[in-house]
Amino acid sequence: MAEHKAEPESGGAASSLATTARTLASTLWFPAFFFTGFLVCYLLPFHNPVPHHVDVAVAGPSAGQLEQALEQKSPGAFDIHRVADADAARDAVTDRDATAGYVPDRTDPQLFVAKADGYSLESVLQKTFTKVAQQSGGQLHMHDVASTAPGDGMGTGLFYLVLACTIPSYIMVMMLLRATTFGRRKKVATFVTAGALMSVIAYVTARGMDVVPDDPLAILFIFLMTQAVSLTSYGLVPFFKQFFPGVAMGLFVLLSMPSSGGAIPVQMVPGFFRALHPIMPMGNLIEALRGLFYFDSKDIVRPVLVICGWIVFGVALILLGAWKERRAARREAEGESAESVEAPVEDPSFEMPQPSAVAPHTHRLGQQDPVLTGRVTDQHGQPLAGVAITVTGTHGRELMRAITDERGEYAAAGLPDRFVNVIASSPDRLAAVARVLARDGHPVRQDFRLMPRTAPASAPASGPAAPVAGSR
């Protein structure tokens, strides 16, 4: 008999490979995004910071010659403009019209700088103009016209203060997505309350460490920034769904930190991040706090208005998302075609709500709150244990299953914000079905009364089983 060898099932292997590829892509996209983001947004701007278009006010008629000399040595590093005298050079720095002021006197050359603009920028200016002064035969005298607070020796204290309020404002949104018993208003109220507490605690802590000067108006500025981050992040959720973590962290971590001018002065990062500096809330808060603390409140209105613009943008996104949700609910209520099932929002650190059964009467820290509860009884009102509760989407896709306890009760958490079908079934009883609207922050109760499949001999046959009136 001829030997027969089975051919490999190439179609099945290809299908398995495609499934593996899809699984890896759906689970590893965020770490891949973060890995690439850190390489591009941190390694690129921070590995070799050099000055770009640093504005220097130069006293006297030699400004043009100095500009040519610096341009030949360091193209694009410094922008020179002429002022009348040493007082004007100093005022240009304190008024934030220039980053530095230089007085090219042969016997007493002077450089006016502001350490509050960043220690690394001050060091570059000192090194550059020390050489310029030496070429003219003089010894440079430096004047720090805007010193940082005694506890902020490196001039990066504002960066870490702002960072301490930026990342928690985003993480708070991720955590509150698990709070299924909190509606939109409660979540926004939580953002406001938590932002106010963070702002006060951050300022008091920084003051206690002598990192910032004493000016309580900073609390308001910090609070506005926390709301810009949290409200915008929350508003992005219904539009980007499972990709929300990448979008929010890309905005408020990967792009905001290198463009903030806090760790590395904005004049020393590549042009792309310099262009983002006037836009991102983190950089605008640092500019506002610098002006408030060290430059007699010069130029603080524009950055504060930009931060407020982010708040308005976040509120608009939230309102638009609410309108979109209500429109989808109306369409489902009218029996129109529902949208495709949304993938759950996922974060690399926090697992987001998934439809699941939970204990009706016990709640543990970290456990999801039930959004659907109910009780199943027989025709006499006695509880029925062991009844299967199945929750499906409006098109029949099963979302979760639960079993009633000894008191006939059940509970479900993590249901999507839309109409769902709740089915109560038992082998010896007629099943009952109810349609309920599951909404974030609005727990609903659906009770059932199940009739026996065969009516007792002493009683007339009963009609089909039905939900108990009283759902809420």
Side-chain angles (χ1 to χ4, degrees):
M1 179 181 293
E3 183 179 355
H4 176 75
K5 296 182 179 180
E7 294 293 333
E9 297 182 1
S10 57
S15 176
S16 176
L17 182 61
T19 301
T20 301
R22 285 195 299 269
T23 301
L24 290 175
S26 63
T27 55
L28 298 182
W29 73 267
F30 190 85
F33 168 79
F34 220 47
F35 169 74
T36 305
F38 266 102
L39 286 180
V40 174
C41 298
Y42 286 80
L43 184 61
L44 174 64
F46 292 163
H47 78 286
N48 184 31
V50 294
H52 301 276
H53 301 288
V54 179
D55 199 351
V56 181
V58 177
S62 61
Q65 298 176 355
L66 180 59
E67 182 174 18
Q68 292 179 1
L70 291 175
E71 184 66 22
Q72 290 179 355
K73 186 176 182 180
S74 303
F78 300 96
D79 292 337
I80 306 297
H81 69 271
R82 179 182 173 181
V83 295
D85 51 27
D87 290 339
R90 178 189 178 94
D91 291 343
V93 180
T94 57
D95 292 342
R96 308 190 81 179
D97 293 328
T99 304
Y102 180 61
V103 183
D105 189 281
R106 286 185 177 275
T107 59
D108 186 26
Q110 301 177 65
L111 180 66
F112 299 99
V113 295
K115 188 178 180 180
D117 283 332
Y119 174 77
S120 56
L121 183 59
E122 179 191 37
S123 300
V124 168
L125 289 166
Q126 180 182 12
K127 182 179 179 180
T128 300
F129 285 92
T130 294
K131 293 180 179 179
V132 172
Q134 289 174 348
Q135 291 174 357
S136 301
Q139 184 175 356
L140 184 68
H141 291 86
M142 288 191 61
H143 305 278
D144 186 1
V145 298
S147 298
T148 55
D152 187 17
M154 296 299 294
T156 55
L158 287 182
F159 172 72
Y160 293 108
L161 170 64
V162 173
L163 184 63
C165 296
T166 300
I167 295 180
S169 297
Y170 156 76
I171 293 177
M172 181 166 49
V173 175
M174 297 304 307
M175 296 302 294
L176 279 180
L177 289 177
R178 297 179 60 90
T180 53
T181 58
F182 269 32
R184 188 175 288 105
R185 291 182 180 179
K186 284 187 177 181
K187 289 178 180 177
V188 170
T190 303
F191 299 149
V192 173
T193 303
L197 288 174
M198 282 194 298
S199 304
V200 172
I201 294 172
Y203 173 76
V204 171
T205 302
R207 278 294 302 135
M209 299 170 64
D210 211 7
V211 172
V212 297
D214 184 12
D215 196 329
L217 184 59
I219 297 174
L220 174 61
F221 293 174
I222 298 171
F223 169 73
L224 292 175
M225 195 277 303
T226 64
Q227 300 311 291
V229 174
S230 59
L231 294 179
T232 302
S233 297
Y234 184 52
L236 291 172
V237 172
F239 299 97
F240 291 94
K241 303 178 180 69
Q242 72 269 29
F243 300 107
F244 155 71
V247 175
M249 294 195 75
L251 278 175
F252 301 121
V253 177
L254 295 179
L255 295 180
S256 285
M257 290 172 62
S259 66
S260 68
I264 299 295
V266 69
Q267 298 92 334
M268 301 182 69
V269 297
F272 172 73
F273 297 101
R274 295 199 306 274
L276 288 178
H277 179 72
I279 302 172
M280 306 305 291
M282 191 173 182
N284 279 280
L285 176 58
I286 289 176
E287 290 297 332
L289 292 178
R290 279 176 176 162
L292 178 68
F293 289 142
Y294 304 119
F295 295 96
D296 196 25
S297 296
K298 294 286 194 321
D299 296 334
I300 65 173
V301 174
R302 191 205 66 81
V304 171
L305 289 178
V306 173
I307 297 173
C308 291
W310 277 92
I311 295 176
V312 172
F313 177 61
V315 171
L317 285 176
I318 293 172
L319 294 177
L320 185 60
W323 172 80
K324 180 182 176 183
E325 177 186 308
R326 287 195 296 269
R327 186 182 65 170
R330 283 198 303 269
R331 286 181 175 179
E332 289 198 19
E334 294 169 359
E336 295 184 14
S337 175
E339 298 178 1
S340 59
V341 178
E342 299 176 357
V345 179
E346 296 178 355
D347 183 88
S349 302
F350 308 106
E351 182 185 354
M352 299 314 298
Q354 297 288 335
S356 60
V358 294
H361 293 285
T362 60
H363 181 75
R364 299 175 181 174
L365 184 63
Q367 187 183 55
Q368 298 181 45
D369 295 319
V371 294
L372 171 65
T373 59
R375 188 167 183 259
V376 182
T377 59
D378 62 14
Q379 69 273 27
H380 304 296
Q382 298 300 311
L384 291 176
V387 176
I389 303 296
T390 306
V391 180
T392 70
T394 52
H395 294 285
R397 178 175 177 268
E398 182 177 316
L399 300 177
M400 55 79 59
R401 287 175 64 88
I403 301 296
T404 56
D405 61 12
E406 65 277 3
R407 288 181 283 195
E409 297 182 341
Y410 69 94
L415 299 179
D417 286 354
R418 54 169 59 119
F419 283 97
V420 295
N421 296 324
V422 185
I423 306 167
S425 60
S426 180
D428 57 343
R429 294 183 178 272
L430 297 175
V433 181
R435 195 183 194 199
V436 300
L437 176 60
R439 292 178 58 198
D440 189 20
H442 300 275
V444 63
R445 182 179 181 87
Q446 179 61 60
D447 295 333
F448 293 95
R449 180 171 297 164
L450 300 187
M451 308 304 289
R453 289 186 179 276
T454 302
S458 59
S462 59
V468 176
S471 300
R472 67 175 185 271

